[in-house]
Amino acid sequence: MVSGYTIRRSFRQLQLAVLLLTFVVGAAAAYGGGLFLRMQAERQLQVRAAETLAVQTEALTGILDKYRLLPPLLAHEDSVIALFEGSGDAAEAKRKAIEVSGMSGAEDVAFLRPDGSVLASADYDFPISHEQQRALLDASAQGRLGRQALITGDGRRVYAFAFGVRRGSRLIGHVAVYVNFDAVEATWSLSPDPVYVIDRTGTVFLSNRPEWRLQPFSSLASVNGEALRYRVGDSVLPGSDLSRDLTLLDWQLHVLTDRRPLFSASLVGGVIAGLVVLLIGAGLFALVQWREAQILRMRRDRSAALRLERLVRERTRALRETNLSLSQEIDERRQAEERLRKAQAELVQAGKLAALGQMSAALSHEFNQPLAAIRTYSDNSVRLLEKDRIDSVRDNLGRITGLVDRMAGLSRSLLSFSRKPGTSVKPVTLAPIVDEALMLTKPRANKAGIVIEWNPPDDLPQVLGGRIRLSQVFVNLINNAVDAIGDRGHGRIVVSLSCDDEGNVAACVDDDGPGVSDENADSVFEPFFTTKSVGSGIGIGLSIASGIVRDFGGRISLEKSALGGARFVVWLQSVDSQREAAE
Ligand code: ADP
């Protein structure tokens, strides 16, 4: 996997590249945007100037055209020719001049004698000298339309048209029309840009800026290469000039436009384009950062997942090993338990043999006694047969049968007692098991002068256990009671069965022996604990008995007996209570 450091470094480089690109492209865009808007603005400026120029040219030439034709028309009119005939009627001429000037709106209309003196004019005070209009009258005298821009004595700027009045080919006078430009300038004043007319000498003749009028243009503006700067009031503005020649008048009409908006336009264009690129650059930068964070996060997640996977693998291996060792341990335990069970079984067997050893003298007496009695009965029977006392013989044979049955029962008990016990747990009835144990232990008790009391109840529930193992428990308890009572020659043992409220069955063995001292009470169930003399006991009876009872789900407890000795209670589960518990 690529290291985090490498990823970060590549992204740093990418971010740097984005920054550089943003600045370079931003600068180019700012320049281009500025240029573009400037060109747009310039085009608009040009269009506006051209429109202004066209309109104002039209306005100017329209006015001049209107008055241009007036002198030739008047010069050919008979009434006007008549004015110059003879001495000339000055009053009539004056009237005519006023009429024409009034109708045409000209500044003045004058009828001049061939030498230039005024015959009559609409405005007597029109301050213009013969000298001033020499060029005008010369052209007129030559038969051309005289044209001349004039500045009157009182400073009015007018344009004069003049045409010679002839009788035949003889010049008899001039008709002159003077045009005022106030109306033209009034229309120009609507334009925000300076509009002006320069005459042949470079003087501003007409302008919508009053302060420019009759000033040399060079004093108002300076041209430095392409750049033109002009003065308006106190400020000097950058401008561009658009002009048109008015050849008829030998004038030039100019429109100056303020170029400052071009600078603002290029500034706005540059700023907008630059900002747009800057924004795109910032977006790109953010995108690169976001992508870097995403890749790093994915990388972190992946390595975390790998770590987790490794951890799981390790844990799984450890668990497998633990499992293996556990199952090995379980096997070993099972084998050990198997060995233990075998040892226990052998111990149980040993316990039984020990009990049998203890009882053997009494048991052999138990067999010998009926055998001797059978012998006696059979001898008697022979004699009684000889005396033909058949009834007595039958009686003897019956006793013999009874004794044989008793011996057979005892032998059966012995046989089953000495047999290896099974391992199964099944429902058994306790009373016959106690009967069997008593059959084996009673001879010994009798021999010691001990009375065993046993009254089996009728309706006791079956318990869970094994017949031979339970009879071994009772044999052991009764033998211990006999041992405890000892050889004092008399004694009492009470074996009883009872059932508690929960359905558990208690088998009690009470004796009137010395009982178990408090200090030994906790030890009696421990293996190899004995208070008996060497050869009399090895201390495994109670431990085996309690093991057997525990296997059946019961327990043995030691109490003090009402008879004065010890009381051992064997608690066993009844079949019913066990079934209920299972349910
Ligand atoms: P053992 O009979 O070989 O000594 P047990 O395990 O049967 O082994 O008994 C252990 C001890 O418990 C006996 O040595 C005895 O001290 C005591 N004991 C058992 N039963 C009685 C009893 N009924 N009365 C007094 N002590 C008893």
PDB file of all heavy atoms in Angstrom, residues 358 476-477 480-485 509 511 513-516 520 524-526 528-532 536-543 565-568, ligand 1:
ATOM      1  N   GLN A 358     -15.985 -59.366  57.934  1.00  0.00           N
ATOM      2  CA  GLN A 358     -16.468 -59.072  59.282  1.00  0.00           C
ATOM      3  C   GLN A 358     -17.602 -60.033  59.672  1.00  0.00           C
ATOM      4  O   GLN A 358     -17.699 -60.490  60.804  1.00  0.00           O
ATOM      5  CB  GLN A 358     -17.016 -57.640  59.307  1.00  0.00           C
ATOM      6  CG  GLN A 358     -16.186 -56.703  60.129  1.00  0.00           C
ATOM      7  CD  GLN A 358     -16.804 -55.295  60.119  1.00  0.00           C
ATOM      8  OE1 GLN A 358     -17.726 -55.003  59.380  1.00  0.00           O
ATOM      9  NE2 GLN A 358     -16.266 -54.461  60.960  1.00  0.00           N
ATOM     10  N   ASN A 476     -23.492 -51.694  55.509  1.00  0.00           N
ATOM     11  CA  ASN A 476     -22.419 -50.936  56.141  1.00  0.00           C
ATOM     12  C   ASN A 476     -22.929 -50.169  57.364  1.00  0.00           C
ATOM     13  O   ASN A 476     -22.291 -50.168  58.424  1.00  0.00           O
ATOM     14  CB  ASN A 476     -21.835 -49.983  55.105  1.00  0.00           C
ATOM     15  CG  ASN A 476     -20.608 -49.276  55.628  1.00  0.00           C
ATOM     16  OD1 ASN A 476     -20.693 -48.146  56.042  1.00  0.00           O
ATOM     17  ND2 ASN A 476     -19.483 -49.991  55.704  1.00  0.00           N
ATOM     18  N   LEU A 477     -24.107 -49.514  57.211  1.00  0.00           N
ATOM     19  CA  LEU A 477     -24.638 -48.706  58.326  1.00  0.00           C
ATOM     20  C   LEU A 477     -24.985 -49.601  59.519  1.00  0.00           C
ATOM     21  O   LEU A 477     -24.685 -49.267  60.678  1.00  0.00           O
ATOM     22  CB  LEU A 477     -25.869 -47.916  57.874  1.00  0.00           C
ATOM     23  CG  LEU A 477     -25.616 -46.810  56.834  1.00  0.00           C
ATOM     24  CD1 LEU A 477     -26.905 -46.081  56.479  1.00  0.00           C
ATOM     25  CD2 LEU A 477     -24.606 -45.795  57.354  1.00  0.00           C
ATOM     26  N   ASN A 480     -21.857 -50.908  61.168  1.00  0.00           N
ATOM     27  CA  ASN A 480     -21.245 -49.860  61.984  1.00  0.00           C
ATOM     28  C   ASN A 480     -21.976 -49.698  63.314  1.00  0.00           C
ATOM     29  O   ASN A 480     -21.347 -49.513  64.370  1.00  0.00           O
ATOM     30  CB  ASN A 480     -21.267 -48.525  61.244  1.00  0.00           C
ATOM     31  CG  ASN A 480     -20.073 -48.368  60.317  1.00  0.00           C
ATOM     32  OD1 ASN A 480     -19.150 -49.189  60.365  1.00  0.00           O
ATOM     33  ND2 ASN A 480     -20.093 -47.368  59.465  1.00  0.00           N
ATOM     34  N   ALA A 481     -23.330 -49.782  63.249  1.00  0.00           N
ATOM     35  CA  ALA A 481     -24.112 -49.646  64.487  1.00  0.00           C
ATOM     36  C   ALA A 481     -23.787 -50.788  65.438  1.00  0.00           C
ATOM     37  O   ALA A 481     -23.614 -50.587  66.656  1.00  0.00           O
ATOM     38  CB  ALA A 481     -25.593 -49.609  64.151  1.00  0.00           C
ATOM     39  N   VAL A 482     -23.688 -52.015  64.863  1.00  0.00           N
ATOM     40  CA  VAL A 482     -23.340 -53.193  65.694  1.00  0.00           C
ATOM     41  C   VAL A 482     -21.965 -52.981  66.331  1.00  0.00           C
ATOM     42  O   VAL A 482     -21.763 -53.203  67.530  1.00  0.00           O
ATOM     43  CB  VAL A 482     -23.367 -54.476  64.842  1.00  0.00           C
ATOM     44  CG1 VAL A 482     -22.844 -55.664  65.638  1.00  0.00           C
ATOM     45  CG2 VAL A 482     -24.785 -54.758  64.351  1.00  0.00           C
ATOM     46  N   ASP A 483     -21.014 -52.471  65.464  1.00  0.00           N
ATOM     47  CA  ASP A 483     -19.650 -52.222  65.965  1.00  0.00           C
ATOM     48  C   ASP A 483     -19.672 -51.206  67.094  1.00  0.00           C
ATOM     49  O   ASP A 483     -18.962 -51.347  68.097  1.00  0.00           O
ATOM     50  CB  ASP A 483     -18.755 -51.685  64.838  1.00  0.00           C
ATOM     51  CG  ASP A 483     -18.401 -52.761  63.827  1.00  0.00           C
ATOM     52  OD1 ASP A 483     -18.557 -53.949  64.191  1.00  0.00           O
ATOM     53  OD2 ASP A 483     -18.000 -52.420  62.688  1.00  0.00           O
ATOM     54  N   ALA A 484     -20.506 -50.162  66.923  1.00  0.00           N
ATOM     55  CA  ALA A 484     -20.523 -49.087  67.908  1.00  0.00           C
ATOM     56  C   ALA A 484     -21.075 -49.589  69.237  1.00  0.00           C
ATOM     57  O   ALA A 484     -20.558 -49.252  70.315  1.00  0.00           O
ATOM     58  CB  ALA A 484     -21.360 -47.927  67.392  1.00  0.00           C
ATOM     59  N   ILE A 485     -22.142 -50.390  69.147  1.00  0.00           N
ATOM     60  CA  ILE A 485     -22.725 -50.914  70.400  1.00  0.00           C
ATOM     61  C   ILE A 485     -21.698 -51.832  71.095  1.00  0.00           C
ATOM     62  O   ILE A 485     -21.562 -51.859  72.322  1.00  0.00           O
ATOM     63  CB  ILE A 485     -24.050 -51.640  70.097  1.00  0.00           C
ATOM     64  CG1 ILE A 485     -25.094 -50.604  69.634  1.00  0.00           C
ATOM     65  CG2 ILE A 485     -24.553 -52.409  71.309  1.00  0.00           C
ATOM     66  CD1 ILE A 485     -26.341 -51.208  69.026  1.00  0.00           C
ATOM     67  N   VAL A 509     -31.017 -45.296  60.170  1.00  0.00           N
ATOM     68  CA  VAL A 509     -30.493 -46.401  61.001  1.00  0.00           C
ATOM     69  C   VAL A 509     -30.094 -45.775  62.352  1.00  0.00           C
ATOM     70  O   VAL A 509     -29.152 -44.976  62.407  1.00  0.00           O
ATOM     71  CB  VAL A 509     -29.282 -47.079  60.328  1.00  0.00           C
ATOM     72  CG1 VAL A 509     -28.742 -48.186  61.213  1.00  0.00           C
ATOM     73  CG2 VAL A 509     -29.658 -47.620  58.960  1.00  0.00           C
ATOM     74  N   ASP A 511     -29.113 -46.226  66.486  1.00  0.00           N
ATOM     75  CA  ASP A 511     -28.612 -47.223  67.443  1.00  0.00           C
ATOM     76  C   ASP A 511     -28.482 -46.584  68.813  1.00  0.00           C
ATOM     77  O   ASP A 511     -28.554 -45.359  68.935  1.00  0.00           O
ATOM     78  CB  ASP A 511     -27.275 -47.806  66.963  1.00  0.00           C
ATOM     79  CG  ASP A 511     -26.172 -46.785  66.958  1.00  0.00           C
ATOM     80  OD1 ASP A 511     -25.802 -46.299  68.037  1.00  0.00           O
ATOM     81  OD2 ASP A 511     -25.672 -46.427  65.826  1.00  0.00           O
ATOM     82  N   GLY A 513     -25.872 -46.941  70.671  1.00  0.00           N
ATOM     83  CA  GLY A 513     -24.442 -46.994  71.011  1.00  0.00           C
ATOM     84  C   GLY A 513     -23.959 -45.668  71.570  1.00  0.00           C
ATOM     85  O   GLY A 513     -24.773 -44.811  71.930  1.00  0.00           O
ATOM     86  N   PRO A 514     -22.639 -45.453  71.555  1.00  0.00           N
ATOM     87  CA  PRO A 514     -22.100 -44.220  72.147  1.00  0.00           C
ATOM     88  C   PRO A 514     -22.243 -42.982  71.234  1.00  0.00           C
ATOM     89  O   PRO A 514     -22.006 -41.864  71.675  1.00  0.00           O
ATOM     90  CB  PRO A 514     -20.620 -44.558  72.342  1.00  0.00           C
ATOM     91  CG  PRO A 514     -20.323 -45.591  71.316  1.00  0.00           C
ATOM     92  CD  PRO A 514     -21.580 -46.389  71.134  1.00  0.00           C
ATOM     93  N   GLY A 515     -22.578 -43.198  69.975  1.00  0.00           N
ATOM     94  CA  GLY A 515     -22.726 -42.064  69.051  1.00  0.00           C
ATOM     95  C   GLY A 515     -21.370 -41.569  68.551  1.00  0.00           C
ATOM     96  O   GLY A 515     -20.316 -42.114  68.902  1.00  0.00           O
ATOM     97  N   VAL A 516     -21.383 -40.511  67.729  1.00  0.00           N
ATOM     98  CA  VAL A 516     -20.143 -39.956  67.156  1.00  0.00           C
ATOM     99  C   VAL A 516     -19.853 -38.631  67.862  1.00  0.00           C
ATOM    100  O   VAL A 516     -20.753 -37.797  68.015  1.00  0.00           O
ATOM    101  CB  VAL A 516     -20.291 -39.704  65.634  1.00  0.00           C
ATOM    102  CG1 VAL A 516     -18.998 -39.133  65.035  1.00  0.00           C
ATOM    103  CG2 VAL A 516     -20.684 -40.979  64.915  1.00  0.00           C
ATOM    104  N   ASN A 520     -15.450 -35.689  65.705  1.00  0.00           N
ATOM    105  CA  ASN A 520     -15.312 -36.642  64.591  1.00  0.00           C
ATOM    106  C   ASN A 520     -16.432 -36.522  63.570  1.00  0.00           C
ATOM    107  O   ASN A 520     -16.348 -37.104  62.481  1.00  0.00           O
ATOM    108  CB  ASN A 520     -15.305 -38.080  65.127  1.00  0.00           C
ATOM    109  CG  ASN A 520     -14.019 -38.380  65.867  1.00  0.00           C
ATOM    110  OD1 ASN A 520     -13.041 -37.624  65.746  1.00  0.00           O
ATOM    111  ND2 ASN A 520     -14.000 -39.449  66.649  1.00  0.00           N
ATOM    112  N   VAL A 524     -16.255 -38.426  59.624  1.00  0.00           N
ATOM    113  CA  VAL A 524     -16.631 -39.838  59.446  1.00  0.00           C
ATOM    114  C   VAL A 524     -16.808 -40.240  57.988  1.00  0.00           C
ATOM    115  O   VAL A 524     -16.606 -41.393  57.639  1.00  0.00           O
ATOM    116  CB  VAL A 524     -17.903 -40.205  60.246  1.00  0.00           C
ATOM    117  CG1 VAL A 524     -17.619 -40.197  61.723  1.00  0.00           C
ATOM    118  CG2 VAL A 524     -19.058 -39.270  59.892  1.00  0.00           C
ATOM    119  N   PHE A 525     -17.169 -39.267  57.109  1.00  0.00           N
ATOM    120  CA  PHE A 525     -17.391 -39.628  55.700  1.00  0.00           C
ATOM    121  C   PHE A 525     -16.109 -39.554  54.872  1.00  0.00           C
ATOM    122  O   PHE A 525     -16.129 -39.870  53.689  1.00  0.00           O
ATOM    123  CB  PHE A 525     -18.460 -38.706  55.071  1.00  0.00           C
ATOM    124  CG  PHE A 525     -19.814 -38.906  55.688  1.00  0.00           C
ATOM    125  CD1 PHE A 525     -20.348 -37.989  56.566  1.00  0.00           C
ATOM    126  CD2 PHE A 525     -20.565 -40.058  55.390  1.00  0.00           C
ATOM    127  CE1 PHE A 525     -21.593 -38.180  57.134  1.00  0.00           C
ATOM    128  CE2 PHE A 525     -21.803 -40.246  55.971  1.00  0.00           C
ATOM    129  CZ  PHE A 525     -22.342 -39.321  56.851  1.00  0.00           C
ATOM    130  N   GLU A 526     -15.035 -39.090  55.515  1.00  0.00           N
ATOM    131  CA  GLU A 526     -13.773 -39.020  54.767  1.00  0.00           C
ATOM    132  C   GLU A 526     -13.188 -40.428  54.627  1.00  0.00           C
ATOM    133  O   GLU A 526     -13.314 -41.245  55.537  1.00  0.00           O
ATOM    134  CB  GLU A 526     -12.764 -38.145  55.514  1.00  0.00           C
ATOM    135  CG  GLU A 526     -13.111 -36.672  55.378  1.00  0.00           C
ATOM    136  CD  GLU A 526     -12.237 -35.807  56.246  1.00  0.00           C
ATOM    137  OE1 GLU A 526     -11.241 -36.331  56.775  1.00  0.00           O
ATOM    138  OE2 GLU A 526     -12.570 -34.620  56.395  1.00  0.00           O
ATOM    139  N   PHE A 528     -10.806 -43.503  54.727  1.00  0.00           N
ATOM    140  CA  PHE A 528      -9.754 -43.983  55.650  1.00  0.00           C
ATOM    141  C   PHE A 528      -9.773 -43.298  57.018  1.00  0.00           C
ATOM    142  O   PHE A 528      -8.796 -43.288  57.733  1.00  0.00           O
ATOM    143  CB  PHE A 528      -8.353 -43.830  54.999  1.00  0.00           C
ATOM    144  CG  PHE A 528      -8.276 -44.511  53.671  1.00  0.00           C
ATOM    145  CD1 PHE A 528      -8.187 -43.799  52.494  1.00  0.00           C
ATOM    146  CD2 PHE A 528      -8.353 -45.917  53.603  1.00  0.00           C
ATOM    147  CE1 PHE A 528      -8.156 -44.430  51.278  1.00  0.00           C
ATOM    148  CE2 PHE A 528      -8.326 -46.546  52.383  1.00  0.00           C
ATOM    149  CZ  PHE A 528      -8.225 -45.820  51.214  1.00  0.00           C
ATOM    150  N   PHE A 529     -10.969 -42.728  57.367  1.00  0.00           N
ATOM    151  CA  PHE A 529     -11.102 -42.246  58.745  1.00  0.00           C
ATOM    152  C   PHE A 529     -11.757 -43.369  59.552  1.00  0.00           C
ATOM    153  O   PHE A 529     -12.841 -43.854  59.205  1.00  0.00           O
ATOM    154  CB  PHE A 529     -11.972 -40.980  58.815  1.00  0.00           C
ATOM    155  CG  PHE A 529     -12.280 -40.585  60.236  1.00  0.00           C
ATOM    156  CD1 PHE A 529     -11.364 -39.823  60.981  1.00  0.00           C
ATOM    157  CD2 PHE A 529     -13.453 -41.024  60.866  1.00  0.00           C
ATOM    158  CE1 PHE A 529     -11.638 -39.499  62.301  1.00  0.00           C
ATOM    159  CE2 PHE A 529     -13.710 -40.687  62.193  1.00  0.00           C
ATOM    160  CZ  PHE A 529     -12.797 -39.921  62.913  1.00  0.00           C
ATOM    161  N   THR A 530     -11.077 -43.774  60.574  1.00  0.00           N
ATOM    162  CA  THR A 530     -11.662 -44.829  61.425  1.00  0.00           C
ATOM    163  C   THR A 530     -11.205 -44.629  62.870  1.00  0.00           C
ATOM    164  O   THR A 530     -10.137 -44.075  63.130  1.00  0.00           O
ATOM    165  CB  THR A 530     -11.255 -46.236  60.932  1.00  0.00           C
ATOM    166  OG1 THR A 530     -11.873 -47.210  61.759  1.00  0.00           O
ATOM    167  CG2 THR A 530      -9.744 -46.444  60.962  1.00  0.00           C
ATOM    168  N   THR A 531     -12.091 -45.054  63.751  1.00  0.00           N
ATOM    169  CA  THR A 531     -11.697 -45.020  65.178  1.00  0.00           C
ATOM    170  C   THR A 531     -11.497 -46.449  65.675  1.00  0.00           C
ATOM    171  O   THR A 531     -11.232 -46.676  66.852  1.00  0.00           O
ATOM    172  CB  THR A 531     -12.786 -44.339  66.029  1.00  0.00           C
ATOM    173  OG1 THR A 531     -14.026 -45.004  65.797  1.00  0.00           O
ATOM    174  CG2 THR A 531     -12.906 -42.867  65.692  1.00  0.00           C
ATOM    175  N   LYS A 532     -11.672 -47.369  64.730  1.00  0.00           N
ATOM    176  CA  LYS A 532     -11.594 -48.783  65.138  1.00  0.00           C
ATOM    177  C   LYS A 532     -10.130 -49.240  65.184  1.00  0.00           C
ATOM    178  O   LYS A 532      -9.265 -48.644  64.525  1.00  0.00           O
ATOM    179  CB  LYS A 532     -12.397 -49.660  64.176  1.00  0.00           C
ATOM    180  CG  LYS A 532     -13.896 -49.332  64.246  1.00  0.00           C
ATOM    181  CD  LYS A 532     -14.682 -50.054  63.180  1.00  0.00           C
ATOM    182  CE  LYS A 532     -16.102 -49.471  63.160  1.00  0.00           C
ATOM    183  NZ  LYS A 532     -16.833 -49.930  61.994  1.00  0.00           N
ATOM    184  N   SER A 536      -9.801 -54.162  62.603  1.00  0.00           N
ATOM    185  CA  SER A 536     -11.267 -54.123  62.731  1.00  0.00           C
ATOM    186  C   SER A 536     -11.907 -53.267  61.639  1.00  0.00           C
ATOM    187  O   SER A 536     -13.023 -53.526  61.201  1.00  0.00           O
ATOM    188  CB  SER A 536     -11.677 -53.564  64.096  1.00  0.00           C
ATOM    189  OG  SER A 536     -11.031 -54.267  65.110  1.00  0.00           O
ATOM    190  N   GLY A 537     -11.216 -52.218  61.238  1.00  0.00           N
ATOM    191  CA  GLY A 537     -11.836 -51.358  60.205  1.00  0.00           C
ATOM    192  C   GLY A 537     -10.751 -50.559  59.483  1.00  0.00           C
ATOM    193  O   GLY A 537      -9.706 -50.259  60.052  1.00  0.00           O
ATOM    194  N   ILE A 538     -11.067 -50.222  58.192  1.00  0.00           N
ATOM    195  CA  ILE A 538     -10.058 -49.441  57.460  1.00  0.00           C
ATOM    196  C   ILE A 538     -10.562 -48.031  57.104  1.00  0.00           C
ATOM    197  O   ILE A 538      -9.886 -47.239  56.462  1.00  0.00           O
ATOM    198  CB  ILE A 538      -9.587 -50.164  56.184  1.00  0.00           C
ATOM    199  CG1 ILE A 538     -10.793 -50.560  55.319  1.00  0.00           C
ATOM    200  CG2 ILE A 538      -8.723 -51.356  56.530  1.00  0.00           C
ATOM    201  CD1 ILE A 538     -10.376 -51.089  53.957  1.00  0.00           C
ATOM    202  N   GLY A 539     -11.806 -47.743  57.455  1.00  0.00           N
ATOM    203  CA  GLY A 539     -12.311 -46.359  57.297  1.00  0.00           C
ATOM    204  C   GLY A 539     -12.804 -45.997  55.909  1.00  0.00           C
ATOM    205  O   GLY A 539     -12.816 -44.820  55.556  1.00  0.00           O
ATOM    206  N   ILE A 540     -13.225 -47.029  55.130  1.00  0.00           N
ATOM    207  CA  ILE A 540     -13.733 -46.632  53.802  1.00  0.00           C
ATOM    208  C   ILE A 540     -15.240 -46.860  53.675  1.00  0.00           C
ATOM    209  O   ILE A 540     -15.849 -46.420  52.692  1.00  0.00           O
ATOM    210  CB  ILE A 540     -13.011 -47.390  52.668  1.00  0.00           C
ATOM    211  CG1 ILE A 540     -13.139 -48.899  52.881  1.00  0.00           C
ATOM    212  CG2 ILE A 540     -11.576 -46.946  52.553  1.00  0.00           C
ATOM    213  CD1 ILE A 540     -12.721 -49.700  51.668  1.00  0.00           C
ATOM    214  N   GLY A 541     -15.847 -47.551  54.674  1.00  0.00           N
ATOM    215  CA  GLY A 541     -17.278 -47.915  54.582  1.00  0.00           C
ATOM    216  C   GLY A 541     -18.160 -46.707  54.314  1.00  0.00           C
ATOM    217  O   GLY A 541     -18.924 -46.677  53.344  1.00  0.00           O
ATOM    218  N   LEU A 542     -18.097 -45.691  55.187  1.00  0.00           N
ATOM    219  CA  LEU A 542     -19.003 -44.536  55.052  1.00  0.00           C
ATOM    220  C   LEU A 542     -18.686 -43.705  53.802  1.00  0.00           C
ATOM    221  O   LEU A 542     -19.594 -43.176  53.175  1.00  0.00           O
ATOM    222  CB  LEU A 542     -18.914 -43.642  56.295  1.00  0.00           C
ATOM    223  CG  LEU A 542     -19.708 -44.150  57.505  1.00  0.00           C
ATOM    224  CD1 LEU A 542     -19.545 -43.205  58.690  1.00  0.00           C
ATOM    225  CD2 LEU A 542     -21.190 -44.293  57.176  1.00  0.00           C
ATOM    226  N   SER A 543     -17.392 -43.615  53.496  1.00  0.00           N
ATOM    227  CA  SER A 543     -17.068 -42.804  52.299  1.00  0.00           C
ATOM    228  C   SER A 543     -17.613 -43.490  51.050  1.00  0.00           C
ATOM    229  O   SER A 543     -18.138 -42.830  50.155  1.00  0.00           O
ATOM    230  CB  SER A 543     -15.561 -42.554  52.213  1.00  0.00           C
ATOM    231  OG  SER A 543     -14.931 -43.479  51.395  1.00  0.00           O
ATOM    232  N   GLY A 565     -27.619 -43.071  70.610  1.00  0.00           N
ATOM    233  CA  GLY A 565     -26.405 -43.239  69.807  1.00  0.00           C
ATOM    234  C   GLY A 565     -26.442 -42.355  68.569  1.00  0.00           C
ATOM    235  O   GLY A 565     -26.872 -41.219  68.619  1.00  0.00           O
ATOM    236  N   ALA A 566     -25.938 -42.963  67.481  1.00  0.00           N
ATOM    237  CA  ALA A 566     -25.889 -42.193  66.232  1.00  0.00           C
ATOM    238  C   ALA A 566     -27.103 -42.503  65.366  1.00  0.00           C
ATOM    239  O   ALA A 566     -27.725 -43.557  65.502  1.00  0.00           O
ATOM    240  CB  ALA A 566     -24.622 -42.528  65.465  1.00  0.00           C
ATOM    241  N   ARG A 567     -27.393 -41.545  64.499  1.00  0.00           N
ATOM    242  CA  ARG A 567     -28.470 -41.789  63.536  1.00  0.00           C
ATOM    243  C   ARG A 567     -27.934 -41.395  62.163  1.00  0.00           C
ATOM    244  O   ARG A 567     -27.520 -40.269  61.942  1.00  0.00           O
ATOM    245  CB  ARG A 567     -29.678 -40.940  63.902  1.00  0.00           C
ATOM    246  CG  ARG A 567     -30.685 -40.857  62.789  1.00  0.00           C
ATOM    247  CD  ARG A 567     -31.873 -40.046  63.190  1.00  0.00           C
ATOM    248  NE  ARG A 567     -33.068 -40.859  63.102  1.00  0.00           N
ATOM    249  CZ  ARG A 567     -34.271 -40.402  62.736  1.00  0.00           C
ATOM    250  NH1 ARG A 567     -34.427 -39.126  62.485  1.00  0.00           N
ATOM    251  NH2 ARG A 567     -35.304 -41.203  62.671  1.00  0.00           N
ATOM    252  N   PHE A 568     -27.889 -42.374  61.270  1.00  0.00           N
ATOM    253  CA  PHE A 568     -27.494 -42.098  59.886  1.00  0.00           C
ATOM    254  C   PHE A 568     -28.762 -42.097  59.042  1.00  0.00           C
ATOM    255  O   PHE A 568     -29.533 -43.043  59.099  1.00  0.00           O
ATOM    256  CB  PHE A 568     -26.494 -43.141  59.385  1.00  0.00           C
ATOM    257  CG  PHE A 568     -25.106 -42.936  59.968  1.00  0.00           C
ATOM    258  CD1 PHE A 568     -24.751 -43.523  61.190  1.00  0.00           C
ATOM    259  CD2 PHE A 568     -24.168 -42.145  59.296  1.00  0.00           C
ATOM    260  CE1 PHE A 568     -23.491 -43.307  61.719  1.00  0.00           C
ATOM    261  CE2 PHE A 568     -22.910 -41.953  59.849  1.00  0.00           C
ATOM    262  CZ  PHE A 568     -22.553 -42.524  61.066  1.00  0.00           C
TER     263      PHE A 568
HETATM  264  P1  ADP B   1     -14.747 -48.399  59.672  1.00  0.00           P
HETATM  265  O1  ADP B   1     -16.057 -49.016  60.100  1.00  0.00           O
HETATM  266  O2  ADP B   1     -13.876 -49.307  58.936  1.00  0.00           O
HETATM  267  O3  ADP B   1     -14.056 -47.669  60.798  1.00  0.00           O
HETATM  268  P2  ADP B   1     -16.457 -46.555  58.432  1.00  0.00           P
HETATM  269  O4  ADP B   1     -16.243 -45.556  57.352  1.00  0.00           O
HETATM  270  O5  ADP B   1     -17.597 -47.450  58.241  1.00  0.00           O
HETATM  271  O6  ADP B   1     -15.137 -47.310  58.624  1.00  0.00           O
HETATM  272  O7  ADP B   1     -16.682 -45.750  59.777  1.00  0.00           O
HETATM  273  C1  ADP B   1     -15.858 -44.735  60.098  1.00  0.00           C
HETATM  274  C2  ADP B   1     -15.969 -44.355  61.564  1.00  0.00           C
HETATM  275  O8  ADP B   1     -17.222 -43.774  61.840  1.00  0.00           O
HETATM  276  C3  ADP B   1     -15.899 -45.481  62.476  1.00  0.00           C
HETATM  277  O9  ADP B   1     -14.520 -45.853  62.739  1.00  0.00           O
HETATM  278  C4  ADP B   1     -16.603 -44.928  63.680  1.00  0.00           C
HETATM  279  O10 ADP B   1     -15.735 -44.168  64.476  1.00  0.00           O
HETATM  280  C5  ADP B   1     -17.627 -44.017  63.163  1.00  0.00           C
HETATM  281  N1  ADP B   1     -18.951 -44.632  63.159  1.00  0.00           N
HETATM  282  C6  ADP B   1     -19.602 -45.165  62.085  1.00  0.00           C
HETATM  283  N2  ADP B   1     -20.828 -45.590  62.441  1.00  0.00           N
HETATM  284  C7  ADP B   1     -20.980 -45.266  63.753  1.00  0.00           C
HETATM  285  C8  ADP B   1     -22.048 -45.449  64.721  1.00  0.00           C
HETATM  286  N3  ADP B   1     -23.207 -46.008  64.371  1.00  0.00           N
HETATM  287  N4  ADP B   1     -21.806 -45.048  66.008  1.00  0.00           N
HETATM  288  C9  ADP B   1     -20.628 -44.470  66.358  1.00  0.00           C
HETATM  289  N5  ADP B   1     -19.604 -44.255  65.492  1.00  0.00           N
HETATM  290  C10 ADP B   1     -19.760 -44.680  64.226  1.00  0.00           C
END
